[in-house]
Amino acid sequence: MDPLIITVIILLLCGIIAGFLAGLFGIGGGVVMVPVMFFLLYDLGYEDNAMAMAVATSAAVIFPTAVAGTLKNYSEKQVALRPAIILGAGGVIGSMTGSSLSVLIPHQIHVLAFSGFLIFMAFWMAVKQSRYLSESSVRISDFILIILGICVGIGSGLFGIGGGIILTPVLTSVLGMNIHKSIGISLTAMVLISSGTVMSYIALGWGVDGLFPFSIGYVNILFALVLVITSVPAVRFGVKTGRTLSDRRLQALFIGMLILLAVRMALSA
């Protein structure tokens, strides 16, 4: 069978799984899409640029999802524009920094850094529901929001994550925001952050040789379209399934998934 057809089939399955897990765990699909795209591109002989293309394309998939979520939350008056824009502005700066770092550092280090990030996220998911975090609160200021946006933007630029997996827990547990308001702010900020990440990777990859076909800079249009088409319908099924499981079981499953992906990524480096 043609390698391109096999690649599309795997991406279709990846989109379904990423969408299902997004609905199941309430996260963006970057933590799933980036490893799968990396493995695909690596096996196809694009190992030198595999990580950059995986991260860039993940950000491109996250952008329309963030836009749709923002519009829905805005219509329901769950978006506070000022903090969202401040977060997003800091995120754009951070995403440009993270994107630039990702193409400067050796790809083995980039892969290992992503593996370490997955381990960190597993740890974060394990402790974010602790009593200490739920009772702590930091006074919100523009400075705090900008710094938080920069940090999330760097993560988005380096690892292709949506940022909601970090932003929403921080806004709720550390800054003491209402969960619905936090989700709306997080999604709105991610529109700016993901767009900054995508534009950075397009510019950084412009004219680079040895990229997978159908790429604009480091962003692969074929991968992005297939993932968007398949992941969106799967979200609803994930949400429905998640309602039948306890919070503790969901958290344990997610932590286990992150650890397995981290180990697999580290071994590939």
Side-chain angles (χ1 to χ4, degrees):
M1 187 179 292
D2 188 287
L4 181 59
I5 296 177
I6 296 174
T7 299
V8 171
I9 292 173
I10 293 174
L11 286 172
L12 287 169
L13 294 174
C14 174
I16 293 171
I17 294 171
F20 174 76
L21 293 176
L24 186 65
F25 298 120
I27 62 168
V31 292
V32 177
M33 291 186 291
V34 171
V36 170
M37 285 190 283
F38 170 79
F39 297 140
L40 272 176
L41 293 165
Y42 190 94
D43 291 341
L44 289 169
Y46 296 88
E47 59 270 16
D48 289 341
N49 296 308
M51 195 63 189
M53 285 190 285
V55 170
T57 306
S58 174
V61 175
I62 289 167
F63 175 76
T65 304
V67 170
T70 296
L71 292 175
K72 179 172 177 57
N73 277 276
Y74 187 79
S75 67
E76 296 174 356
K77 299 182 179 180
Q78 293 292 343
V79 177
L81 286 178
R82 177 180 169 81
I85 291 173
I86 294 173
L87 274 170
V92 170
I93 297 171
S95 68
M96 294 172 64
T97 304
S99 302
S100 300
L101 285 173
S102 73
V103 299
L104 291 175
I105 60 178
H107 73 274
Q108 293 92 342
I109 295 177
H110 195 185
V111 173
L112 289 174
F114 186 82
S115 298
F117 171 75
L118 292 179
I119 295 294
F120 166 76
M121 289 311 305
F123 174 77
W124 172 253
M125 291 295 292
V127 303
K128 75 171 187 176
Q129 299 296 335
S130 71
R131 183 177 179 182
Y132 172 77
L133 284 178
S134 63
E135 291 182 353
S136 65
S137 180
V138 176
R139 189 176 67 86
I140 300 174
S141 68
D142 291 351
F143 176 75
I144 292 294
L145 292 173
I146 290 174
I147 296 300
L148 177 58
I150 290 174
C151 292
V152 171
I154 291 174
S156 179
L158 270 175
F159 306 129
I161 61 167
I165 194 172
I166 300 174
L167 270 179
T168 301
V170 169
L171 291 175
T172 54
S173 61
V174 179
L175 299 184
M177 286 188 181
N178 173 274
I179 181 62
H180 298 293
K181 184 178 179 181
S182 298
I183 292 172
I185 290 174
S186 175
L187 284 168
T188 306
M190 281 315 306
V191 172
L192 296 174
I193 296 172
S194 60
S195 63
T197 302
V198 170
M199 295 307 296
S200 295
Y201 274 107
I202 289 175
L204 290 166
W206 198 265
V208 172
D209 295 325
L211 299 179
F212 191 80
F214 312 107
S215 292
I216 300 178
Y218 286 112
V219 178
N220 188 268
I221 303 302
L222 174 64
F223 280 31
L225 286 175
V226 174
L227 288 167
V228 168
I229 290 171
T230 54
S231 63
V232 172
V235 171
R236 185 172 298 178
F237 182 57
V239 171
K240 184 177 180 180
T241 302
R243 290 171 181 166
T244 66
L245 300 175
S246 67
D247 290 344
R248 181 172 296 182
R249 182 170 295 181
L250 279 175
Q251 183 172 304
L253 288 172
F254 185 55
I255 291 171
M257 180 194 70
L258 290 179
I259 293 173
L260 286 175
L261 289 174
V263 171
R264 180 65 179 87
M265 291 285 288
L267 290 175
S268 69

